[in-house]
Amino acid sequence: MAGGAVFNVSGAGKEYKGKMTVFVFLTCLVAATGGLIFGYDIGISGGVTSMDNFLLKFFPSVYRQQQKHSRDTNEYCKFNSDLLTLFTSSLYLAALVSSFFAATVTRAFGRKWSMFGGGITFIFGAAINGAAVNVAMLILGRILLGIGVGFANQSVPVYLSEMAPAKLRGMLNIGFQLMITIGILAANLINYWTAQIRGDWGWRVSLGLAAVPGAIIAVGSLLLPDTPNSLIERGYPEAAMAMLRRVRGSDDIQAEYQDLVTASNDSKTVKHPWKNILQRRNRPQLTMAVLIPFFQQFTGINVIMFYAPVLFKTVGFGGQAALMSSVITGLVNALATTVSIFSVDRVGRRALFLEGGAQMLISQIIVGVLIAVKFGVTGAETELSKGYAAMLVIFICLYVSAFAWSWGPLGWLVPSEIFPLEIRPAGQSINVSVNMLFTFIIAEAFLSMLCHLKFGLFFFFAGWVVIMTIFIALFLPETKNVPIEEMSFVWKKHWFWGKFIPDDALRARRGDARSPK
């Protein structure tokens, strides 16, 4: 077994041993590829909707609207289309619903089979979209893609958090977000190439190639082992112990194994995890699983991404401006995510959340002011100097980078690592469903809100960034380097959440008797 950095993690008076092994790295790398399907879809859908042949075939009214060049055209409202919005947002609604079914599959059959189901469904959705002849086929394909995303997003972060050693959990878990950004970047590059193909083949190739990331996670999941946590939960203690030895690279795993057994025994007493998750003792985790994905969608990242094509075009990218700008922001997104990979287990989750929030707030306010000065409340077309546009581009990249190393990856990492085993799949399903619900709401309402609030929409989201940053500062304890089955101690020590955690929960995690001595 290949070696690496060896470390001990203290939890409730115990020492956990573990090291980065080749097996752990490759296992987490393969599992993280589940993020490719979500990222590819995000990137590809925005690109094909800017292709003229795609719009002419499915959304001719939008195409005609974009061809208007009169001076009275309102830049804030020119892209508004209910049907086009439905094409984009239908995926998120399907992902929301499917994540609840994914929780049952994940708990009953293991994390890997939920990933497999997500990959297979995504392949079917890609095939239907690539062969689409009408809007109904497009929507059906998007729904299947959404089901695939719901299953993958529910299972992959949990799998990574359970397989990773405590001191490397943040780094390995953020591999999921890195794969999302790589998927976005790959889709943007593919769109840039396929947009130059004449006829219908350009957008068909873009949509059909979504089957590739779907196949990667579907095949990859078959090669993955089950996590020790899942094996114990499903009644395979010997296999769980053997797997724990392999993933930790050590025979000294008794303390951690006993904690997994204790957590599994607790989980077997829970017949209805959806009811159990509402109990007072789980209030801290439930609050985070709801508010963190909610806040993630209200960072305003969609506003920034919407304006990027116009601003980059002014800098001089010409006719391919929309797609080239997506490539650039996608590259910034991917590179900035690596910052969190190498820092999250050193500086911690809170530091990245707080720094990212401050940087997003400043950048968004400046972009909002600059847009207001040039477009005003009328939204009339105006010519921007290259220097002015370059300044906007700089602050857009600063904003995207801040999101990429804070709310982007941490929005998936933190909820996946804070729940006890008995309600972990249900908790992750809530995280995914809330994320998809508000992604759906933002996608449905964004163009209309932009048309009515105009540049004020930037300040609307900036206000939410202030709220979420204060929330993190006050209510999120630091979870770095804490063993996943020892999180109860973190909540118990918190100034606010401590009163929600009963003492018997801590005794259970220590492996002591459940009744007071």
Side-chain angles (χ1 to χ4, degrees):
M1 185 65 65
V6 182
F7 53 83
N8 295 333
V9 180
S10 296
K14 302 169 191 168
E15 293 289 325
Y16 288 176
K17 292 186 177 181
K19 59 184 178 181
M20 173 69 85
T21 65
V22 172
F23 178 75
V24 169
F25 176 78
L26 293 178
T27 297
C28 290
L29 179 64
V30 172
T33 59
L36 289 175
I37 64 176
F38 191 27
Y40 187 88
D41 181 80
I42 292 173
I44 219 70
S45 58
V48 296
T49 54
S50 69
M51 297 181 186
D52 289 345
N53 287 328
F54 179 81
L55 293 175
L56 275 170
K57 185 172 184 65
F58 298 108
F59 309 100
S61 62
V62 176
Y63 175 79
R64 290 191 296 268
Q65 199 171 355
Q66 289 184 351
Q67 297 307 305
K68 293 181 180 179
H69 296 290
S70 60
R71 298 293 296 180
D72 61 348
T73 297
N74 190 324
E75 290 292 320
Y76 295 118
C77 303
K78 67 188 295 183
F79 298 103
N80 201 354
S81 167
D82 292 336
L83 194 58
L84 185 60
T85 298
L86 179 62
F87 166 73
T88 302
S89 60
S90 57
L91 178 144
Y92 305 113
L93 190 60
L96 185 163
V97 175
S98 66
S99 65
F100 290 103
F101 294 98
T104 301
V105 174
T106 299
R107 190 181 190 198
F109 302 103
R111 286 59 168 145
K112 60 180 290 183
W113 293 111
S114 189
M115 297 182 214
F116 176 75
I120 291 296
T121 309
F122 200 85
I123 291 173
F124 282 112
I128 292 175
N129 270 354
V133 296
N134 52 48
V135 174
M137 285 187 69
L138 281 180
I139 301 299
L140 176 60
R142 292 286 290 176
I143 290 173
L144 291 176
L145 293 176
I147 293 173
V149 167
F151 270 76
N153 286 11
Q154 192 280 336
S155 55
V156 172
V158 170
Y159 185 94
L160 294 173
S161 288
E162 291 181 344
M163 289 295 280
K167 249 191 174 178
L168 299 174
R169 187 174 61 244
M171 180 184 75
L172 293 174
N173 190 290
I174 290 176
F176 175 68
Q177 176 67 17
L178 179 62
M179 289 296 176
I180 292 177
T181 64
I182 291 174
I184 293 173
L185 180 59
N188 291 334
L189 290 170
I190 289 171
N191 278 335
Y192 186 73
W193 168 63
T194 58
Q196 303 173 50
I197 300 176
R198 294 186 177 182
D200 285 348
W201 283 105
W203 62 264
R204 290 190 186 278
V205 171
S206 290
L207 294 178
L209 282 178
V212 174
I216 290 175
I217 185 57
V219 174
S221 64
L222 295 177
L223 305 176
L224 292 175
D226 281 315
T227 68
N229 314 61
S230 179
L231 287 169
I232 290 178
E233 186 179 31
R234 292 184 291 119
Y236 302 101
E238 294 82 6
M241 181 173 284
M243 183 55 61
L244 191 59
R245 287 196 187 98
R246 192 174 186 190
V247 299
R248 297 297 178 255
S250 171
D251 290 330
D252 188 9
I253 47 88
Q254 287 301 322
E256 185 174 4
Y257 178 78
Q258 186 56 49
D259 271 344
L260 296 183
V261 171
T262 301
S264 177
N265 290 336
D266 287 344
S267 72
K268 290 175 182 177
T269 66
V270 177
K271 301 301 181 183
H272 305 286
W274 295 106
K275 181 179 179 180
N276 183 268
I277 204 171
L278 299 177
Q279 291 180 0
R280 177 181 171 86
R281 67 172 60 199
N282 296 317
R283 196 72 47 78
Q285 300 94 320
L286 180 61
T287 300
M288 295 300 161
V290 171
L291 289 185
I292 286 180
F294 168 80
F295 285 142
Q296 186 189 55
Q297 293 308 312
F298 276 80
T299 56
I301 192 70
N302 291 325
V303 176
I304 294 295
M305 292 300 187
F306 175 80
Y307 266 96
V310 176
L311 302 176
F312 279 92
K313 184 175 182 179
T314 306
V315 175
F317 287 116
Q320 294 283 61
L323 299 176
M324 178 56 74
S325 66
S326 297
V327 170
I328 293 175
T329 54
L331 184 61
V332 170
N333 194 14
L335 292 177
T337 301
T338 62
V339 173
S340 62
I341 289 179
F342 293 108
S343 62
V344 68
D345 291 317
R346 292 181 172 87
V347 303
R349 284 68 160 150
R350 283 172 52 84
L352 290 177
F353 265 128
L354 298 176
E355 191 284 331
Q359 185 172 322
M360 285 191 297
L361 175 64
I362 294 171
S363 301
Q364 193 164 36
I365 289 176
I366 292 175
V367 170
V369 170
L370 293 175
I371 291 293
V373 169
K374 283 298 181 180
F375 288 97
V377 296
T378 62
E381 291 185 19
T382 185
E383 192 73 25
L384 303 182
S385 68
K386 289 189 176 182
Y388 197 92
M391 184 165 51
L392 284 169
V393 169
I394 289 173
F395 284 105
I396 285 174
C397 289
L398 287 173
Y399 181 88
V400 171
S401 63
F403 177 85
W405 64 55
S406 61
W407 281 93
L410 298 181
W412 296 108
L413 167 61
V414 173
S416 73
E417 67 181 359
I418 59 176
F419 281 96
L421 178 64
E422 61 266 23
I423 56 172
R424 191 170 299 146
Q428 182 63 13
S429 290
I430 291 174
N431 176 45
V432 173
S433 63
V434 172
N435 189 297
M436 294 301 143
L437 173 62
F438 286 99
T439 302
F440 173 78
I441 291 173
I442 292 294
E444 279 288 318
F446 168 63
L447 292 177
S448 178
M449 290 174 67
L450 180 65
C451 188
H452 291 88
L453 294 179
K454 302 176 174 57
F455 62 84
L457 191 58
F458 291 92
F459 305 124
F460 170 80
F461 285 115
W464 279 107
V465 171
V466 172
I467 294 172
M468 66 184 72
T469 303
I470 293 174
F471 172 81
I472 292 297
L474 294 178
F475 297 108
L476 181 67
E478 183 55 66
T479 58
K480 72 170 183 176
N481 300 340
V482 180
I484 195 169
E485 303 300 348
E486 297 290 335
M487 285 293 173
S488 297
F489 295 92
V490 174
W491 299 110
K492 186 63 176 178
K493 293 177 182 177
H494 191 265
W495 71 272
F496 180 78
W497 299 119
K499 60 181 179 245
F500 291 91
I501 308 299
D503 291 338
D504 68 312
L506 305 185
R507 283 194 295 273
R509 294 307 179 198
R510 288 190 182 103
D512 298 338
R514 290 181 176 274
S515 58
K517 293 181 180 179

